[in-house]
Amino acid sequence: QVQVVESGGGLVQAGGSLRLSCTVSGLTFDHHAMGWFRRPPGKEREGVSCINWNVGSIVYRDSDKGRFTVSRDNANNTLYLQMNRLKAEDTAMYYCATARKVYCSDSWSEADYDYWGQGTQVTVSS
């Protein structure tokens, strides 16, 4: 049984930082690219970042480039998202997902991901 569990969310002031973690069990972690998504209040879920199995390529949403850093520890089946200079518009539920392939796709299609966590809430106060 595959389990995906996010942690590290919380309440932070604008300009602050948070580090999200995602642990995965029940599958071969380094056989999958990994993605971060988020759902802002009242909006659709959107892609945030994707990292290939071997960290060879990383994709970020344009609005997050330079502020967010994704990384992974294949030895410990863990994905991370370091978020700096947070803004009020970063407020959302953040989700981790396992990609169906080892490489990130060219789009943010959720159909490219198969296992999802329950999410961790990030709230940025202005």
Side-chain angles (χ1 to χ4, degrees):
Q1 181 181 356
V2 178
Q3 288 190 317
V4 179
V5 181
E6 303 94 337
S7 62
L11 174 63
V12 63
Q13 288 188 333
S17 299
L18 281 175
R19 189 192 196 201
L20 306 184
S21 299
C22 170
T23 58
V24 180
S25 61
L27 53 71
T28 305
F29 186 69
D30 62 3
H31 285 190
H32 300 264
M34 293 294 300
W36 284 104
F37 289 76
R38 66 187 177 193
R39 188 193 303 275
K43 296 184 179 180
E44 297 290 318
R45 189 158 57 185
E46 59 187 18
V48 173
S49 181
C50 180
I51 182 170
N52 285 349
W53 72 278
N54 62 352
V55 198
S57 178
I58 296 174
V59 179
Y60 295 103
R61 177 171 293 276
D62 287 344
S63 61
D64 301 330
K65 287 180 180 177
R67 299 189 301 121
F68 291 4
T69 303
V70 65
S71 61
R72 63 188 294 164
D73 178 352
N74 286 342
N76 290 296
N77 290 10
T78 304
L79 176 73
Y80 301 99
L81 184 67
Q82 177 68 44
M83 303 187 295
N84 298 326
R85 302 197 306 277
L86 283 162
K87 306 174 182 178
E89 51 263 44
D90 294 321
T91 294
M93 183 71 79
Y94 283 72
Y95 299 89
C96 167
T98 63
R100 297 183 187 278
K101 298 182 179 180
V102 295
Y103 294 105
C104 297
S105 66
D106 294 335
S107 72
W108 294 111
S109 173
E110 294 190 14
D112 293 329
Y113 297 82
D114 42 14
Y115 297 102
W116 295 77
Q118 294 299 306
T120 186
Q121 178 67 39
V122 171
T123 302
V124 184
S125 62
S126 57

